[in-house]
Amino acid sequence: MDRPATMTGLLPRRITPDLLWTGGCMAASVTGMLAHYSCFVLRGSTGAVLIDTGHPSHRAQVTRDVADFLAGQPLTHIFPTHAELPHAGLLDHWLDLFPAAVAIGDMRDWHLYLPHLAPRFRQVADGDTLDLGNRRLRFIAPIWRDLPDTLWAFDDASRTLFLSDACACFHPHSPGQSDRFTSEVAPPDIAIMQDFNDKALHWPRYTDCTDSAAAMDALLEALNPAYLAGAHGAVVDDWRRMMPHFKAGMGAC
Ligand SMILES: [Fe+2]
Ligand SMILES: [Fe+2]
């Protein structure tokens, strides 16, 4: 397979010229497997948004990658998809680094965590949009999620659905495989996906996921995304082929 110019085997990778995928990988709950801890930057003509903050363990790399990608353009928004360490642990770092930026998302509890930054929190909900000039990010109620403050979002320019903990999949990471899309790697192991979903989301082990799988189908048919960008797996560039695997990983098949 020809490797695109931006595909190096290591993050970061540009999904499109104005959409960066960065972050890092760490040992997963299954021996021999690694999990992505990804974040993304969308660059628009009037602003730029960081989607998830990166894990604090990857602070140096993601700070460097975001700076290189933006080339002097400031971040205007930071969107933590929910209030967990891998998704939001660097929020104060980014707000310190970009003093004019605001945090946007379901910020319901953040005044308790970072009270001195509360004036810089913008509360949004399902259907609200963030205008970045030549693109809009629409916030979407999540379907497969863990915490109640989770939000997903859809970028209309790249047609990317950012879905946080959903559609996660671990795979063996030999050197040079961290930046691959799902079409570029073998299908994920279903048992390992089920193990992750049981541990990270909790409710799939107790709940019939059939209804939520149908809701996922409806959302994806309506959006017809080019990419699914989750925090804990390869970026999905072929969701129609992958959804049966993800449904099986939720125990809904
Ligand atoms: Fe989570
Ligand atoms: Fe997560």
Side-chain angles (χ1 to χ4, degrees), residues 131-236:
D131 190 336
L132 297 172
N134 61 345
R135 69 199 316 153
R136 276 158 303 284
L137 186 67
R138 176 158 58 97
F139 297 94
I140 293 177
I143 297 170
W144 289 341
R145 53 85 167 155
D146 52 358
L147 300 186
D149 64 352
T150 304
L151 274 180
W152 292 355
F154 182 71
D155 168 47
D156 65 356
S158 65
R159 292 186 22 249
T160 302
L161 177 62
F162 299 93
L163 37 59
S164 195
D165 283 342
C167 302
C169 53
F170 304 157
H171 43 271
H173 280 215
S174 54
Q177 297 198 38
S178 294
D179 68 343
R180 297 197 178 178
F181 296 159
T182 48
S183 68
E184 299 163 345
V185 294
D189 182 287
I190 299 303
I192 291 176
M193 294 173 74
Q194 290 175 337
D195 181 69
F196 173 86
N197 289 327
D198 285 349
K199 291 173 178 171
L201 306 182
H202 303 290
W203 53 270
R205 77 168 73 181
Y206 306 112
T207 308
D208 182 349
C209 296
T210 305
D211 289 348
S212 65
M216 284 293 294
D217 285 340
L219 178 66
L220 294 176
E221 289 295 343
L223 296 176
N224 191 23
Y227 303 101
L228 308 180
H232 304 302
V235 166
V236 179

Side-chain angles (χ1 to χ4, degrees), residues 79 104-108 122-130 137-142 148-154:
F79 166 40
I104 191 168
D106 186 337
M107 309 300 294
R108 65 178 76 180
R122 301 287 181 269
Q123 183 73 18
V124 289
D126 180 36
D128 291 338
T129 58
L130 171 61
L137 186 67
R138 176 158 58 97
F139 297 94
I140 293 177
D149 64 352
T150 304
L151 274 180
W152 292 355
F154 182 71

Side-chain angles (χ1 to χ4, degrees), residues 86-140:
H87 304 268
L90 290 174
L91 183 57
D92 56 341
H93 164 67
W94 292 110
L95 290 173
D96 289 345
L97 205 56
F98 294 95
V102 298
I104 191 168
D106 186 337
M107 309 300 294
R108 65 178 76 180
D109 291 331
W110 278 97
H111 64 290
L112 301 173
Y113 303 138
L114 301 172
H116 63 296
L117 294 172
R120 297 172 64 188
F121 300 154
R122 301 287 181 269
Q123 183 73 18
V124 289
D126 180 36
D128 291 338
T129 58
L130 171 61
D131 190 336
L132 297 172
N134 61 345
R135 69 199 316 153
R136 276 158 303 284
L137 186 67
R138 176 158 58 97
F139 297 94
I140 293 177

